[in-house]
Amino acid sequence: MVTAKRWVLVKQFVGKPKESDFCLEEETLPDEVNDGEVLCEAIYLSVDPYVRFLSSVMMKPGDTLVGEQIARVINSKNPKYEVGDVIRLSSGWRTHTLVTDMSQIDVMPVLGDLPVSLPLGAAGVTGLTALFGLNDKLKPVEGETVLVNSAAGAVGSVVGQIAKMKGCTVIGFAGTDDKVQWLTELGFDHAFNYKKVDVDEALSMAAPNGVHCYFDNVGGYLSTQTLPHIHRNGRVLIVGSISTYNDIGKSTGPYPFEDILKKCMTVNGFSIYDMYPKWRDGEAQLVDWIQQGKLQHRETITEGFDLMPNAFMGLFEGTCTGKALVKA
């Protein structure tokens, strides 16, 4: 028998997630599997803010927290998977998984010598969100100005680098001086610590003629400050709203609708899951850029499965640069 651990939701989050919202449970799994089944052990687990957003929609108390992981096959009676194979698995916050439904296993991109953790980050959903959100939705062209917030995060850092490849002027907002320094190293034309600058003044300086494309990971007041600086007929893509995920009650403004009207903006929401048919090609492109050195990435890795909630709560405190992962 295999002793497995899993993190379950104790109660729905109210405000910021806290330790009492999570419970670590043990369960016993058979070490022998039936025909067609696979037994896996987690290597890396993804830590994502969307868990906070989806918790009230997809989860109830007692459920295992949702998420992806990179896992190693430790027993198999499925001809597609051999012991030792490394796979990407949607099984949530758990150390071991008995896979009976093969749709939980997603195809891994061909990584060569690259780290196996990449399909959870820059060569996975976060990288794809940047790639398709920017190229397929915002569609910047050479010479335009692209603005991205949470720019040192797993998505934002990729957005900025791809926009530079396209010949755009890139502006990024991040929450610490160290993150701003990294953005400068990545080639961002302008990078600001939004906690230390006047956003209006910063954008007036960096984009005197306006922002053509705004990739919004944050929402809230920062985005409200940004909209007056959008170019006429500018494009706004709302990909996340991490600044308001923990809000209790309704916001009372300020409201952005007048700016949207005056500038005739195009404002779209975006879910990467609508782009699923293109994922394989997108991942191959991201891997190729990483191998060529055109796309840089960082990972913030927390050691130890027992610290999953700590890593998750850290997302809302700005402690992560690049992709947040837990090494089991």
Side-chain angles (χ1 to χ4, degrees), residues 8-22:
V8 303
L9 183 69
V10 173
K11 58 183 182 299
Q12 293 293 348
F13 302 117
V14 177
K16 286 186 177 181
K18 50 190 179 297
E19 289 186 16
S20 59
D21 295 330
F22 308 90

Side-chain angles (χ1 to χ4, degrees), residues 136-148:
D136 288 42
K137 299 299 181 180
L138 287 177
K139 300 179 180 179
V141 298
E142 184 176 359
E144 288 191 323
T145 297
V146 174
L147 169 64
V148 57

Side-chain angles (χ1 to χ4, degrees), residues 160-328:
Q161 293 179 81
I162 296 175
K164 286 302 299 178
M165 292 183 205
K166 299 177 76 68
C168 297
T169 297
V170 179
I171 306 169
F173 282 109
T176 70
D177 291 343
D178 286 343
K179 291 179 180 180
V180 168
Q181 176 60 38
W182 184 48
L183 297 180
T184 301
E185 294 169 6
L186 291 180
F188 280 58
D189 297 280
H190 306 279
F192 302 103
N193 182 341
Y194 70 89
K195 297 177 181 178
K196 291 187 174 182
V197 300
D198 181 293
V199 171
D200 183 67
E201 291 181 359
L203 288 176
S204 295
M205 180 277 292
N209 297 316
V211 171
H212 300 90
C213 299
Y214 176 32
F215 196 106
D216 183 14
N217 293 303
V218 173
Y221 186 56
L222 180 58
S223 288
T224 301
Q225 293 176 291
T226 296
L227 291 183
H229 294 271
I230 302 299
H231 195 278
R232 182 171 176 81
N233 297 315
R235 291 91 76 196
V236 178
L237 194 67
I238 300 172
V239 182
S241 191
I242 192 172
S243 69
T244 60
Y245 287 164
N246 297 318
D247 283 0
I248 299 173
K250 298 290 185 180
S251 172
T252 57
Y255 299 112
F257 307 110
E258 186 176 347
D259 284 310
I260 294 171
L261 175 61
K262 287 190 298 185
K263 299 291 184 67
C264 299
M265 298 178 205
T266 299
V267 181
N268 289 310
F270 178 67
S271 170
I272 186 57
Y273 297 100
D274 294 337
M275 309 295 293
Y276 187 75
K278 300 178 68 172
W279 280 23
R280 302 288 83 82
D281 289 341
E283 287 179 336
Q285 176 65 83
L286 292 164
V287 168
D288 183 56
W289 282 335
I290 294 169
Q291 289 173 331
Q292 293 184 53
K294 293 182 177 180
L295 184 63
Q296 305 298 315
H297 67 95
R298 282 191 183 179
E299 297 172 335
T300 298
I301 299 177
T302 300
E303 297 275 350
F305 180 78
D306 290 3
L307 296 179
M308 282 289 298
N310 302 67
F312 177 66
M313 291 184 287
L315 293 174
F316 304 99
E317 303 296 336
T319 60
C320 172
T321 299
K323 176 62 186 173
L325 298 169
V326 168
K327 188 173 182 180

